[in-house]
Amino acid sequence: MIDLPLLWALLIATAILIYVILDGFDLGIGILFPFLETDEDRDTAMNSVAPVWDGNETWLVLGGGGLFATFPLAYAVLMPALYVPVILMLLGLIFRGVAFEFRWKSRGHRKAWDHSFTIGSMVASFCQGIALGAFVQGIAVEGRAYAGGWWDWLTPFSLLTGLALVIGYALLGATWLVMKTEGRLGLKAVRYARVTMIGTVMFIALISLATLSLDPRFMAAWTAWPAILYVAPVPFAVALLAFYLWRSLGRAMDHRPFLATIGLFVLSFVGLGISLFPYIVPMEITIWEAAAPDKSLSFLMVGTAFLLPLILGYTGYAYWVFRGKMKPGEGYH
Amino acid sequence: MPEFLTAELLARAQFAFTVSFHIVFPAFSIGLASYLAVLEGLWLKTGDEAYLTTFRYWLKIFAVAFGMGVVSGIVMSYQFGTNWAVYADKTGPVLGPLLGYEVLSAFFLEAGFLGIMLFGLERVGKKLHFMATLMVAVGTLFSAFWILSVNSWMQTPAGYGINEAGQFIVEDWWAVVFNPSFPYRLVHMTLAAYLTTAFVVGGVGAWHLLKDRSNRPARIMFSMAMWMALVVAPLQVIAGDMHGLNTLEHQPAKVAAMEGHWETGSRVPLLLFAVPDNEAEGNHFEIGVPALASVILKHDPDGVIQGLKDWPKEDRPPVFIVFWSFRIMVAIGFLMVGIGLWSLIARMRGKLYESPLLGKAAVLMAPSGFIAVLAGWVVTEVGRQPYTVYGLLRTADSLSPVEAPAVATSLAIFAVVYFIVFGAGTVYILRQMAERPGTPAHVPEGPTRAAAYTTDYVKLAEGGRHD
């Protein structure tokens, strides 16, 4: 018999990871937006993500909808616990999402929608990071419901993870620009990538250590023998990738820095998974306790097995259609 | 905070507010996506540039409306968890997979091909671009399919069991998805979306025809919209009637509220005007047609219909809102039928584009579809109260363990943000609609999307791809 809850937990985690990487770079463009010097550069940067941002954000809906579908108990506990950051994130996403169309349509208010794009992107990223931190640090549960207050999420740790995600997304955005643009904007992106990379690596180290001290079980997950043999390569791989990223930024402006950054995100995500497994509400509810009945899980699995490859296929196609370097003022504004 | 502002009331207000804002955009984009596909198809088939111009005109409006639909929809998908966590826990095993299918089969399809639809014509060529337009249109219909299945299950639950944790579990997926009210609701809503779009398109076409009768794209818009009104509005009346009979079978209390009908009995009058009063358990100022409600609902003047007093007070929906929303919806439906017939007469006289009175009526009716859709949803959602899952899970028992101030604050922020953001979006859409179709769009300084669309299509029309 297939362990459906485990399979679904892996699938949902993958959907969230894909979301973080894909929306991460277009949120990152929003975070870097005010630092770009000319209107032309801002237009180019925004146009480099305009055809794909909507698809990127759909992974967030899959993450939320998928959690509701397959782990309704976890969804019902986590959402009230993360009430404030989730609502603020949604508001941020509203402001940045509409900016893609509105800034071209408004007469005289374009600056306002540029701010809306920047602030919305920053708030959404920061709140996602806060939600992650609040999730990792633990959530009060009684029976089948959230038992804490509506400010429990606010701690130094969650603020730290919030900040970390903003910097991390900025790095994703910068390396995306390194890949998609050239000339002045490309060079600028290289500089931003260097700065945000240093920040990102520092935050990864800081948060990793802070996480270990949160709960002895986190510590155990990383230090128990023989598990340590499997997990020890993770931090080494992070260091190696960071080195590779730095080197690749000094060379041609191509896809390598972006791929290396994705690697950093994947490794951080795997590290998080090692700490948390098998909990879906950390240290309170395991994936098997929260899972919907097998009949629900298998019903959705049948369609997912067929639809997910299809989605990946046409999403890939959409990216391929808009491949290559952006040129200022080019085609599809 | 005042005592009556409970977390439940505020959460309900928040849901009603956000969903009412949201529903407007899908209702419009379902119809518009199909319309765009038809226009592009006609252009490819006939080579007539006027279809392309019309397509381009509505594509810009679609982009703005779709963007607002996406962002307001994301809010909806998280609200089940934030304000309605107990509901989410209990219904998740049944409704979650349906929503999952909506995301997988509809949202990704729309989002994946939207970029190509908006920006990709030069890069992929005509035929692939047409396919992208079709995929977006199909995606909006898939979305309607799943979300209406979810909503219908909450109205007429079927195929479920209840486990020891109090969760609904599935016994028969077929019965869950195709629950008793689903086919009626799906047809009724899809037709409503098509009518809504038709009246917007017809209104915009009429507006420009009033200024210049010879404008080809405006003539295309107006003519196509009036055909839709003529054919689809009467179909909608029939679909609505069938939906009503289905509701009478499964949710008789809702129908009693729609009719403002308190005492069980026969020869029930159809009320044209009344002021229903929950406290007094009766109506003030009744004006009605004797026995007509019995005729409509039972097809028999002596047909017995249950009145609201058959249910305990705490199980009745709020009557006044349901009663009047229903009347608004029905009145608009008949007005739409009337415009359709009027246009037919004008068309047969060869004066479809020459009647200023018809044109002005069409302009006035442009927003009518939105009002009817909202009124219809109020009927179905308020009429379902006091339950979230009809007869099984009460609204009061569906709530998150959140405190009233949290819900009040988020509601206030949503209200402010929605009015700013969607207000601006509406202004941009109206401004776009005021542009005369067929002339180059307003071009502010610097490169714009509008300009890019124009050059894309001009180049394409002149001789295919430029790579």
Side-chain angles (χ1 to χ4, degrees):
Chain A
M1 195 59 204
I2 312 165
D3 189 344
L4 278 169
L6 181 63
L7 191 55
W8 269 112
L10 288 172
L11 267 175
I12 304 262
T14 309
I16 293 173
L17 177 62
I18 293 177
Y19 169 75
V20 166
I21 291 166
L22 293 185
D23 212 27
F25 77 74
D26 68 56
L27 283 162
I29 301 292
I31 296 165
L32 294 173
F33 214 54
F35 301 101
L36 304 177
E37 270 158 33
T38 64
D39 280 341
E40 195 191 8
D41 284 354
R42 279 190 280 270
D43 290 350
T44 307
M46 199 150 181
N47 285 336
S48 74
V49 294
V52 291
W53 77 271
D54 190 9
N56 297 346
E57 216 163 275
T58 307
W59 292 93
L60 179 67
V61 184
L62 183 64
L67 195 66
F68 175 48
T70 53
F71 301 97
L73 177 59
Y75 183 78
V77 168
L78 291 174
M79 289 301 142
L82 304 174
Y83 195 88
V84 177
V86 165
I87 300 263
L88 285 176
M89 171 193 78
L90 294 173
L91 291 168
L93 291 177
I94 289 176
F95 276 105
R96 76 180 296 270
V98 296
F100 281 96
E101 287 297 324
F102 285 10
R103 69 191 291 269
W104 302 105
K105 306 280 192 297
S106 71
R107 297 175 198 156
H109 293 103
R110 180 139 165 206
K111 271 275 168 288
W113 292 117
D114 283 356
H115 292 314
S116 156
F117 181 56
T118 298
I119 296 169
S121 300
M122 285 181 177
V123 168
S125 309
F126 188 53
C127 288
Q128 284 174 11
I130 284 183
L132 173 70
F135 172 75
V136 171
Q137 77 195 4
I139 280 161
V141 179
E142 236 167 66
R144 297 180 71 82
Y146 174 57
W150 55 298
W151 292 101
D152 285 12
W153 51 272
L154 186 62
T155 62
F157 181 75
S158 69
L159 292 177
L160 191 71
T161 50
L163 212 57
L165 205 63
V166 174
I167 303 294
Y169 281 174
L171 172 62
L172 268 172
T175 51
W176 167 264
L177 286 180
V178 168
M179 176 170 73
K180 294 294 285 185
T181 66
E182 49 201 2
R184 180 189 56 209
L185 180 56
L187 288 171
K188 194 137 195 148
V190 170
R191 287 222 304 280
Y192 291 142
R194 287 194 191 281
V195 176
T196 49
M197 186 206 123
I198 295 170
T200 304
V201 172
M202 273 168 47
F203 272 118
I204 290 176
L206 205 61
I207 289 171
S208 301
L209 294 175
T211 306
L212 291 182
S213 65
L214 278 177
D215 192 297
R217 278 170 289 188
F218 287 143
M219 187 66 96
W222 286 90
T223 52
W225 186 265
I228 194 168
L229 290 180
Y230 300 105
V231 299
V234 175
F236 281 108
V238 169
L240 272 176
L241 256 182
F243 179 69
Y244 175 75
L245 171 56
W246 186 264
R247 286 267 308 262
S248 66
L249 279 171
R251 295 177 181 173
M253 281 187 263
D254 63 10
H255 57 276
R256 277 173 291 186
F258 185 60
L259 291 183
T261 307
I262 290 176
L264 283 179
F265 271 82
V266 173
L267 285 173
S268 304
F269 204 75
V270 168
L272 191 68
I274 291 171
S275 296
L276 295 178
F277 186 83
Y279 292 97
I280 194 157
V281 177
M283 307 309 162
E284 291 284 352
I285 302 171
T286 66
I287 52 180
W288 295 280
E289 288 163 352
D294 272 6
K295 199 151 183 174
S296 299
L297 300 183
S298 56
F299 174 70
L300 190 57
M301 184 58 80
V302 173
T304 306
F306 167 72
L307 288 167
L308 204 56
L310 211 61
I311 290 167
L312 291 171
Y314 62 65
T315 303
Y317 173 71
Y319 271 86
W320 188 75
V321 164
F322 297 102
R323 70 198 175 278
K325 294 268 185 194
M326 296 285 304
K327 289 173 189 67
E330 185 215 18
Y332 56 95
H333 302 285
Chain B
M1 276 178 54
E3 218 165 82
F4 70 94
L5 287 178
T6 56
E8 184 199 342
L9 189 73
L10 289 161
R12 282 178 63 184
Q14 186 173 116
F15 200 86
F17 177 77
T18 48
V19 83
S20 299
F21 247 97
H22 173 67
I23 185 75
V24 167
F25 301 109
F28 187 40
S29 49
I30 288 169
L32 204 48
S34 294
Y35 184 54
L36 285 168
V38 169
L39 286 173
E40 191 174 10
L42 285 171
W43 170 55
L44 289 178
K45 194 161 166 255
T46 63
D48 185 343
E49 287 299 305
Y51 287 119
L52 177 64
T53 310
T54 316
F55 173 84
R56 203 166 64 209
Y57 186 86
W58 287 101
L59 184 63
K60 289 176 214 158
I61 293 168
F62 180 77
V64 179
F66 191 87
M68 292 196 282
V70 168
V71 294
S72 59
I74 293 177
V75 174
M76 300 313 305
S77 72
Y78 278 82
Q79 209 169 94
F80 290 139
T82 50
N83 286 343
W84 302 100
V86 177
Y87 163 88
D89 177 26
K90 292 196 167 162
T91 64
V94 177
L95 300 182
L98 306 189
L99 289 167
Y101 272 116
E102 186 186 16
V103 181
L104 290 167
S105 70
F107 292 171
F108 275 113
L109 198 62
E110 295 169 32
F113 285 100
L114 182 76
I116 297 173
M117 183 186 180
L118 294 181
F119 314 114
L121 188 59
E122 262 207 309
R123 289 184 173 237
V124 299
K126 289 183 193 177
K127 289 217 169 111
L128 270 175
H129 186 266
F130 180 51
M131 202 204 62
T133 310
L134 276 180
M135 288 300 115
V136 172
V138 168
T140 62
L141 292 172
F142 282 166
S143 178
F145 177 93
W146 290 110
I147 201 70
L148 285 164
S149 176
V150 167
N151 182 272
S152 300
W153 187 87
M154 290 160 65
Q155 307 270 357
T156 54
Y160 65 92
I162 293 174
N163 70 7
E164 66 279 11
Q167 290 175 306
F168 292 98
I169 51 163
V170 171
E171 275 168 7
D172 178 357
W173 277 111
W174 186 261
V176 166
V177 175
F178 295 92
N179 58 77
S181 65
F182 170 61
Y184 301 94
R185 222 178 284 277
L186 178 66
V187 170
H188 198 46
M189 182 64 211
T190 309
L191 293 182
Y194 281 165
L195 277 175
T196 299
T197 307
F199 274 86
V200 174
V201 171
V204 171
W207 174 264
H208 292 290
L209 282 177
L210 286 171
K211 293 188 201 159
D212 172 13
R213 274 183 214 167
S214 63
N215 187 309
R216 269 289 315 284
R219 289 166 82 103
I220 289 173
M221 291 173 204
F222 189 64
S223 174
M224 288 174 88
M226 290 302 113
W227 278 123
M228 281 290 284
L230 180 69
V231 177
V232 178
L235 284 179
Q236 180 70 313
V237 172
I238 297 168
D241 179 56
M242 290 167 72
H243 185 196
L245 294 178
N246 177 268
T247 308
L248 181 66
E249 191 183 336
H250 296 280
Q251 298 176 298
K254 184 192 280 185
V255 172
M258 284 154 66
E259 300 293 341
H261 176 47
W262 296 89
E263 307 283 348
T264 298
S266 66
R267 299 193 73 78
V268 177
L270 182 76
L271 299 178
L272 300 176
F273 186 92
V275 180
D277 185 336
N278 277 338
E279 292 308 308
E281 303 192 292
N283 303 325
H284 308 291
F285 315 110
E286 274 188 18
I287 303 171
V289 183
L292 190 56
S294 284
V295 173
I296 292 173
L297 291 168
K298 295 280 179 171
H299 298 201
D300 170 11
D302 293 318
V304 174
I305 301 174
Q306 277 185 292
L308 283 160
K309 285 189 182 171
D310 266 19
W311 289 272
K313 233 177 181 173
E314 66 275 12
D315 291 350
R316 296 177 199 160
V319 186
F320 185 88
I321 299 174
V322 178
F323 180 86
W324 277 106
S325 306
F326 180 62
R327 265 145 198 77
I328 292 169
M329 177 186 75
V330 171
I332 291 174
F334 281 108
L335 278 177
M336 288 175 161
V337 173
I339 294 268
L341 291 172
W342 187 359
S343 75
L344 180 68
I345 295 165
R347 200 189 292 270
M348 289 193 312
R349 287 186 181 159
K351 293 197 181 307
L352 183 64
Y353 310 108
E354 274 83 37
S355 163
L357 209 57
L358 175 61
K360 280 175 192 162
V363 171
L364 275 180
M365 286 287 284
S368 62
F370 294 116
I371 300 168
V373 164
L374 283 172
W377 276 104
V378 168
V379 172
T380 210
E381 296 304 289
V382 178
R384 178 187 53 182
Q385 296 303 326
Y387 298 102
T388 46
V389 181
Y390 199 68
L392 298 168
L393 181 62
R394 281 179 178 272
T395 310
D397 300 330
S398 305
L399 206 64
S400 288
V402 284
E403 291 153 60
V407 189
T409 311
S410 58
L411 173 59
I413 296 172
F414 273 126
V416 173
V417 167
Y418 274 38
F419 278 115
I420 295 173
V421 170
F422 299 125
T426 308
V427 168
Y428 298 147
I429 285 181
L430 288 175
R431 196 184 277 165
Q432 188 64 48
M433 288 173 172
E435 297 280 352
R436 209 171 77 91
T439 47
H442 171 84
V443 184
E445 64 278 20
T448 72
R449 280 168 191 255
Y453 288 132
T454 315
T455 50
D456 264 12
Y457 285 95
V458 168
K459 274 190 224 157
L460 204 87
E462 279 165 358
R465 301 182 54 175
H466 296 247
D467 257 347

